[in-house]
Amino acid sequence: LSKAAKIAQRQGARIMGLGAFTSVVGDAGVTVAADAPIAITSGNSLTVAATLEAAKLAAIRMGTSDLTQGRVMVIGATGSIGSVCARMIAQAIHDVVLVSIEPERLIDLKRTIQRETPGARVTVATRARGLIGDCDMVVTATSAFGQRILDISQCKPGAIVCDVARPPDINEAEAALRPDVLVIESGEVLIPGDIDFHYDIGLPPGVSYACLAETALLAMEGRFESFTLGREIDISRVKEIYGLFKKHDFRLAGLLSLGHYLTDAEIVAKREIAERLRSDPELLQRTKRAASQKLAKIPIRSKGVSDGARS
């Protein structure tokens, strides 16, 4: 990354954005920024803002009248993105489940949320199983690979899974087991104007990942500074970059699910299936059992890496 920053400077760049695994390796950009001749940002502040915006849009389109009365799970809650998502979600919804393999950091995060949002209900766990069925929304923001991050077969009818991880935690085969569950990616951003990345980043023309969009926004503002670095994301930075997002007429590109944009018809179909499951507890239990049996036959993987490839 340090070498890339020097190459970027020679080509005229004044700021370099990280993203995907490059934003989580090492100390999330701190050391790179200290060594780089140009500004460095992880892009994680806009990733959080776009994720929460996409989650809100998804809830509205799935017919949720008042998500503030719901319950949200954050998997990977002690990570850079997961922790600030959890803190901001708790401020709006007041009932969060924090899941992480780091118990001590979970307790610290719980205390932080309770200090920032008195009265918030905070549940902590090292595994999602047993709690996921009560959650209206799940945000998964892990850097783990070769694991099954969540058991989608046990999700609540009509639940929303917002997969922030890059590469994603949830694969298409898993998502297909519960057609009532809406799996979306973190908010991909449509940059206004005639945009050419000069490289295929795997998204439609003009659409970027939020981490890249943060870098573009800072450049457009002439803010060649290391805006987002390290594991602790400042909530004020998330709000500030969202303000720039609105100022420059950036917007969400739509609800992206497993590589394609969801149509109104697809959303309606999910809502109808979810409603049938809610109204028929026996059908819900049969659906969960059947999905669980099929899930057991799907290789355990995340980030496109299977369990057997971890070594």
Side-chain angles (χ1 to χ4, degrees), residues 65-98:
S65 58
D66 186 5
L67 189 59
T68 62
Q69 302 302 310
R71 194 179 205 197
V72 178
M73 173 181 286
V74 180
I75 303 177
T78 56
S80 178
I81 292 173
S83 60
V84 73
C85 278
R87 290 163 61 199
M88 296 184 76
I89 289 169
Q91 292 177 2
I93 298 176
H94 304 292
D95 190 352
V96 292
V97 179
L98 312 178

Side-chain angles (χ1 to χ4, degrees), residues 227-240:
F227 189 83
T228 310
L229 292 176
R231 303 293 182 197
E232 301 297 325
I233 300 175
D234 191 328
I235 287 179
S236 66
R237 289 266 161 155
V238 176
K239 294 178 179 178
E240 183 180 4

Side-chain angles (χ1 to χ4, degrees), residues 30 32 38 45 72 74 77 82 105 111 113 116 131 144 151 183 218 220-221 224 227 232 249 273 280 286-287 293:
V30 175
V32 175
I38 58 176
S45 290
V72 178
V74 180
R105 294 183 67 187
R111 289 170 178 161
I113 291 173
E116 292 176 340
L131 295 167
D151 183 348
V183 178
L218 293 169
M220 291 168 73
E221 277 287 292
F224 302 108
F227 189 83
E232 301 297 325
D249 201 29
I273 297 170
D280 189 338
R286 290 200 303 272
T287 298
Q293 291 169 0

Side-chain angles (χ1 to χ4, degrees), residues 117-287:
T117 311
R121 179 186 177 192
V122 184
T123 304
V124 297
T126 55
R127 297 178 62 190
R129 193 172 185 86
L131 295 167
I132 199 167
D134 296 325
C135 296
D136 303 278
M137 180 179 291
V138 180
V139 176
T140 168
T142 81
S143 56
F145 62 91
Q147 302 175 34
R148 178 156 288 138
I149 302 304
L150 65 85
D151 183 348
I152 198 169
S153 72
Q154 300 306 304
C155 279
K156 191 173 183 177
I160 297 164
V161 177
C162 190
D163 190 350
V164 184
R166 288 295 169 270
D169 282 330
I170 311 301
N171 62 58
E172 190 170 359
E174 292 173 338
L177 298 178
R178 286 290 302 273
D180 60 301
V181 174
L182 176 60
V183 178
I184 62 170
E185 299 174 18
S186 61
E188 274 62 50
V189 175
L190 181 63
I191 300 178
D194 185 14
I195 303 300
D196 185 354
F197 295 122
H198 301 287
Y199 184 80
D200 181 4
I201 62 173
L203 293 174
V207 178
S208 81
Y209 294 111
C211 48
L212 173 57
E214 176 173 313
T215 315
L217 275 174
L218 293 169
M220 291 168 73
E221 277 287 292
R223 303 243 329 239
F224 302 108
E225 60 187 79
S226 295
F227 189 83
T228 310
L229 292 176
R231 303 293 182 197
E232 301 297 325
I233 300 175
D234 191 328
I235 287 179
S236 66
R237 289 266 161 155
V238 176
K239 294 178 179 178
E240 183 180 4
I241 202 70
Y242 182 67
L244 296 180
F245 176 94
K246 303 293 283 187
K247 173 184 175 181
H248 288 283
D249 201 29
F250 282 42
R251 57 188 175 88
L252 292 182
L255 292 180
L256 192 64
S257 176
L258 303 162
H260 82 281
Y261 288 103
L262 291 162
T263 65
D264 290 340
E266 288 174 310
I267 297 288
V268 169
K270 287 183 177 295
R271 290 177 60 172
E272 290 175 348
I273 297 170
E275 189 55 40
R276 288 201 298 272
L277 294 176
R278 291 189 194 101
S279 62
D280 189 338
E282 290 187 6
L283 176 61
L284 174 60
Q285 292 307 312
R286 290 200 303 272
T287 298

